C-alpha cells in the first residue's frame, strides 16, 4: 500500500467509527502497544474501537480491500505477544473493549451470551447475581476479556473439573477475514454440519477472524467453598495427595495448584500484605479448593486431617472464612506479578501427561540449572491438568532484553526439548503468539504445520488477520 492508499483507508475508518471509535494520537495508543510483561513493543497506525458487530464487519471489509493488517486486542493480558502489533507499524489495533454488553444470563438453561469485550470478572458478577457462575477463572480476571479468553482457549484454575474455554464455549459470533458475519451463537447440543467453525476460532489467536460474542456455559453458583494450604515434600507427594483427595471427595476438589517454596518466597517478598499460610516453610505447597452445597470447611478439615494422619502431607491449614480463602488465592494469583517485580525471566507454559509431570518438574529444573549456572528454574501451577508454568529467572544484574534474546533463549530451547522428549506440548494455555512461533515450527511435525498454514490461507488469503502470530512464517525456518 502506498502512503496515499493508507491515508485514504484510515480516513474511511475514521469516518466509519467517529471520535469514540477512532484514535491515532500516540498518547492514546501507547498503553496498548506493549504487552503485559513488557517484552513486546509494537507500533500501529490507529486504534479502532468498534461499538457493534456491524462496525467490526465494515472495518474488516475495508481492511481486506486495502490489505491493511488488523491486530485484535481484548484486555491485553496475553502472555505470548499475540495482541501486540509488530514493530513495523503497518497494522491497526482493533480493540473489542467497547463491545462489553452481557446480552443475556439465562439461569434455567445455564447459558450466558457475552460480547467479546466483557471483562471476565464482570461476567462472574452477572452470573452470580442469577445464582450461577462461569467456571473459568485466572489471575488476570479483572482485565482479560471474553474475546481474548476464547481466542487463546484460556485455562486457569478450574480446568480440573470444568475444562478449558473450549469446553465452555457453546457458540460464537465472529467476523471472518472477508468481513462476513458468522452467526454461530445458538447453543446447539447436536450439530453435524461438517467442520466446526466455532471450535476452529477457539484458540485461533485472532488469526482467522474477530470474535464478537460468545454463548457460554454456566453452572450453579458455589454454595460453599473452603480453601486449604498444604505442605508436601515433593511434586510426587502432591500428585499422590490429589489422587487420594479425589478418591474420597470426587468432584468437590475443583482446584489443585502446586507452588514450590522459592516461588512462594518471591510472592512474600514482592507482594505487599502477603503472609505465609503455614508456620514452617515446606519444600512444596498445594492450594486445594473444596466446593460443595454446604459444609466445605468441615469436609476439607476432615479430609486434610486424615491426609496428615496417613502421612500424605506435612502440614495443612484450612481457610477460616472467605477473606482467608481469598488471601490464599491471592498468593497463587500473584506469582506472575511477583516474578515481574523480581527481574527478567523466560516463561514456559507447558504440559506433559499428568502422571509424568512430577518427575518432569524435578528433572527439568535440575537439567536447566545445571546447563545454565546462575539461572533459577521453578515450576508451579496446575499439576492436576499436567500443566505447569516453568519459569527460568535470569542471574542477578543482567540486562533483561539481551539476556532474553541470548542465554534466556537457549534455556527456553532446552525446556522445550525436554517437553517434547516427554511427549508434551510447548503451549498448554497461553498460545503461540509471537513468542513461540519459531519453536512451534522447530518442534512440530510437518503435518501439523502444513495444516495450520492451509487453514490460515484458506480463510485469510490476503493474510490481514493478526499477521506474524501463531502460524509459522517461511522466514522462521532460517531465523532459529
Ligand atoms: P489479549 O491479550 O488482548 O489477546 C490475546 C490473543 O487473543 C491475541 O492473539 C489477540 O489478538 C486475540 N484476541 C483478543 N480478543 C480477540 C477477539 N475478540 N477476536 C479475535 N482475537 C482476539 N491464561 C491462562 O490460560 N490461564 C491462566 O491461569 C492465566 N493466568 C494469567 C495471570 C495473569 C496475572 C496474567 C496477566 C495473564 C494470565 N493468563 C492466563 C493469560 C491471559 O490472561 C489469557 O491469555 C487471556 O485469555 C487473554 O485475554 P485478553 O482479553 O487479555 O486477550
Amino acid at each position: 500500500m502506498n502512503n496515499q492508499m493508507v491515508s485514504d483507508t484510515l480516513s474511511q475508518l475514521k469516518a466509519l467509527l467517529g471520535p469514540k471509535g477512532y484514535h491515532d494520537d500516540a498518547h492514546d495508543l501507547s498503553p496498548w502497544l506493549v504487552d503485559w510483561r513488557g517484552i513486546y513493543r509494537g507500533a500501529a497506525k490507529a486504534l479502532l474501537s468498534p461499538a457493534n458487530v456491524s462496525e467490526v464487519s465494515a472495518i474488516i471489509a475495508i481492511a481486506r480491500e486495502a490489505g491493511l493488517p488488523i491486530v485484535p486486542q481484548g484486555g491485553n493480558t496475553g502472555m505470548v505477544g499475540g495482541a501486540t502489533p509488530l514493530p513495523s507499524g503497518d497494522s491497526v489495533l482493533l480493540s473489542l473493549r467497547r463491545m462489553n454488553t452481557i446480552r443475556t444470563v439465562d439461569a434455567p438453561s445455564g447459558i450466558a451470551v457475552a460480547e467479546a469485550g466483557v471483562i471476565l470478572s464482570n461476567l462472574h458478577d452477572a452470573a452470580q447475581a442469577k445464582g450461577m457462575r462461569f467456571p473459568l477463572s485466572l489471575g488476570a480476571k479483572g482485565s482479560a476479556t471474553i474475546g481474548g479468553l476464547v481466542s487463546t482457549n484460556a485455562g486457569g484454575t478450574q480446568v480440573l473439573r470444568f475444562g478449558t474455554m473450549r469446553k465452555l464455549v457453546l457458540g460464537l459470533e465472529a467476523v471472518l477475514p472477508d468481513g462476513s458475519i458468522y452467526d454461530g451463537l445458538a447453543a446447539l447440543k447436536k450439530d453435524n454440519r461438517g467442520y466446526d467453525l466455532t471450535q476452529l476460532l477457539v484458540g485461533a489467536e485472532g488469526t482467522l477472524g474477530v470474535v464478537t460474542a460468545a454463548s457460554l456455559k454456566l453452572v450453579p453458583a458455589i454454595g460453599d467453598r473452603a480453601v486449604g494450604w498444604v505442605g508436601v515434600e515433593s511434586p510426587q507427594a502432591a500428585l499422590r495427595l490429589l489422587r487420594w483427595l479425589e478418591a474420597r471427595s470426587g468432584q468437590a476438589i475443583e482446584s489443585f495448584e502446586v507452588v514450590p517454596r522459592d516461588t512462594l518466597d518471591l510472592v512474600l517478598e514482592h507482594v505487599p500484605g502477603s503472609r505465609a499460610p503455614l508456620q514452617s516453610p515446606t519444600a512444596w505447597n498445594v492450594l486445594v479448593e473444596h466446593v460443595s452445597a454446604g459444609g466445605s470447611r468441615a469436609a476439607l478439615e476432615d479430609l486434610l486431617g486424615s491426609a496428615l494422619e496417613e502421612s500424605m502431607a506435612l502440614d495443612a491449614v484450612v481457610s477460616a472464612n472467605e477473606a482467608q480463602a481469598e488471601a490464599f488465592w491471592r498468593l497463587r494469583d500473584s506469582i506472575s506479578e511477583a516474578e515481574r517485580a523480581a527481574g527478567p525471566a523466560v516463561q514456559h507454559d507447558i504440559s506433559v501427561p499428568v502422571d509424568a509431570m512430577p518427575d518432569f518438574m524435578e528433572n527439568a529444573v535440575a537439567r536447566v540449572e545445571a546447563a545454565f549456572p546462575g539461572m533459577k528454574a521453578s515450576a508451579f501451577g496446575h499439576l492436576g491438568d499436567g500443566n505447569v508454568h516453568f519459569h527460568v529467572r535470569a542471574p542477578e544484574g543482567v540486562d533483561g532484553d539481551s539476556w532474553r534474546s541470548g542465554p534466556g533463549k537457549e534455556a527456553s530451547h532446552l525446556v522445550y526439548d525436554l517437553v517434547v522428549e516427554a511427549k508434551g506440548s510447548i503451549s498448554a494455555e497461553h498460545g503461540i503468539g509471537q513468542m513461540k512461533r519459531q519453536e512451534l515450527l522447530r518442534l512440530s511435525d510437518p503435518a501439523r504445520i502444513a495444516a495450520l498454514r492451509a487453514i490460515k490461507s484458506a480463510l485469510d488469503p490476503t493474510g490481514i488477520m493478526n499477521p506474524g502470530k501463531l502460524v509459522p512464517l517461511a522466514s522462521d525456518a532460517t531465523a532459529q
Side-chain angles (χ1 to χ4, degrees), residues 36-37 70-84 94 96-97 116-118 136-141 143-157 159 201 204-213 257 332-337 349 382 387 389 428-431 433 465-466 469:
W36 189 85
R37 281 185 173 135
I70 298 274
V71 180
Q73 191 179 81
N76 198 23
T77 68
M79 293 291 197
V80 290
T84 311
L94 176 59
L96 278 297
R97 285 181 293 273
V118 169
L136 183 140
S137 191
L138 38 75
K141 65 186 175 200
S143 307
T145 62
I146 296 306
L149 294 159
V150 169
S151 302
T152 56
N153 182 24
T157 47
V159 173
L201 288 162
E205 301 184 26
T207 62
L208 298 180
V210 181
V211 172
T212 51
E257 298 285 307
R332 164 63 185 91
D333 287 341
S334 305
I335 293 175
S336 302
E337 184 188 330
D349 139 57
H382 326 298
N387 163 212
H389 302 296
E429 287 198 316
H430 295 157
M465 288 309 310
N466 215 0
K469 317 293 169 61

Side-chain angles (χ1 to χ4, degrees), residues 400-466:
D401 284 343
S402 46
W403 177 80
R404 254 185 233 101
S405 57
K409 195 169 177 184
E410 285 173 38
S412 286
H413 277 316
L414 175 57
V415 173
Y416 291 137
D417 287 345
L418 295 173
V419 168
V420 171
E421 210 174 284
K423 303 214 174 312
S425 165
I426 66 165
S427 177
E429 287 198 316
H430 295 157
I432 299 297
Q434 306 184 47
M435 183 182 274
K436 298 187 185 174
R437 217 183 54 219
Q438 290 173 9
E439 288 293 51
L440 185 71
L441 182 64
R442 183 172 78 88
L443 296 168
S444 296
D445 61 278
R448 178 185 290 271
I449 300 297
L452 272 181
R453 285 180 170 149
I455 293 167
K456 170 73 176 168
S457 65
L459 285 180
D460 182 18
T462 54
I464 58 161
M465 288 309 310
N466 215 0

Side-chain angles (χ1 to χ4, degrees), residues 112-438:
V113 179
E115 290 185 351
V118 169
I119 288 174
L120 178 58
S121 58
N122 292 345
L123 179 63
H124 287 163
D125 293 346
Q128 181 73 30
K130 296 263 183 104
M132 302 297 282
R133 71 176 156 134
F134 178 60
L136 183 140
S137 191
L138 38 75
K141 65 186 175 200
S143 307
T145 62
I146 296 306
L149 294 159
V150 169
S151 302
T152 56
N153 182 24
T157 47
Q158 285 148 338
V159 173
L160 196 61
R161 179 160 174 203
F162 297 105
T164 63
M165 201 68 184
R166 199 176 280 295
K167 266 204 157 175
L168 301 171
V169 170
L170 305 174
L172 282 185
E173 175 191 271
V175 176
L176 300 180
D178 62 357
S180 61
I181 297 173
Y182 164 66
D183 179 4
L185 269 182
L188 302 174
K189 278 223 174 218
K190 291 185 165 183
D191 178 15
N192 270 350
R193 285 174 288 179
Y195 306 137
D196 190 335
L197 192 46
T198 291
Q199 287 298 335
L200 192 56
L201 288 162
V202 177
E205 301 184 26
T207 62
L208 298 180
V210 181
V211 172
T212 51
S215 295
L216 300 164
K217 177 177 170 170
L218 302 179
V219 299
I222 292 179
D224 191 24
R225 73 160 180 171
V227 178
W229 194 273
V230 188
V232 291
E233 65 198 1
S234 63
Q236 290 80 0
L239 187 58
R240 275 196 302 276
L241 177 66
L242 172 62
R243 301 287 189 235
W244 188 92
L245 290 168
E246 283 178 334
R248 280 154 189 81
S249 59
Q251 296 218 314
I253 302 300
E254 279 204 5
S255 302
F256 192 89
E257 298 285 307
V258 291
V259 182
R261 178 177 172 176
D262 62 342
T263 303
L264 176 62
D265 287 346
L266 271 190
V267 175
L268 298 175
E269 185 185 341
H270 292 286
V271 177
S274 54
R275 287 183 47 197
L278 301 177
Q279 285 198 331
S280 309
T282 49
W284 288 83
N285 301 269
V286 171
L287 179 152
V288 53
E289 179 162 290
H290 185 286
V291 171
S292 66
S296 267
R297 185 169 171 215
L300 190 56
E301 278 175 352
D302 278 357
L303 276 168
L304 293 179
S306 305
L308 287 170
E309 275 169 25
E310 292 187 29
S311 302
M312 299 297 301
L314 301 171
D315 196 1
V317 58
V318 175
S319 57
N321 49 41
E322 189 52 27
Q324 201 176 21
E326 279 297 317
F328 289 174
W329 267 117
R330 211 159 33 250
L331 292 172
R332 164 63 185 91
D333 287 341
S334 305
I335 293 175
S336 302
E337 184 188 330
E339 284 208 323
R340 193 164 65 160
V346 281
Q347 288 90 358
H348 315 87
D349 139 57
I350 47 118
S351 64
V352 301
V354 178
D355 288 332
M357 185 50 99
D359 289 349
F360 176 87
M361 288 164 82
E362 286 192 332
N363 297 341
V365 164
R367 292 268 303 265
V368 170
E369 290 184 351
F372 300 97
M375 294 187 196
K376 189 86 197 70
S378 51
F380 65 91
H382 326 298
L383 178 67
D385 308 330
N387 163 212
V388 291
H389 302 296
F390 192 102
H391 291 186
V392 183
R393 297 200 298 280
E396 270 182 36
V398 299
D399 168 69
D401 284 343
S402 46
W403 177 80
R404 254 185 233 101
S405 57
K409 195 169 177 184
E410 285 173 38
S412 286
H413 277 316
L414 175 57
V415 173
Y416 291 137
D417 287 345
L418 295 173
V419 168
V420 171
E421 210 174 284
K423 303 214 174 312
S425 165
I426 66 165
S427 177
E429 287 198 316
H430 295 157
I432 299 297
Q434 306 184 47
M435 183 182 274
K436 298 187 185 174
R437 217 183 54 219
Q438 290 173 9

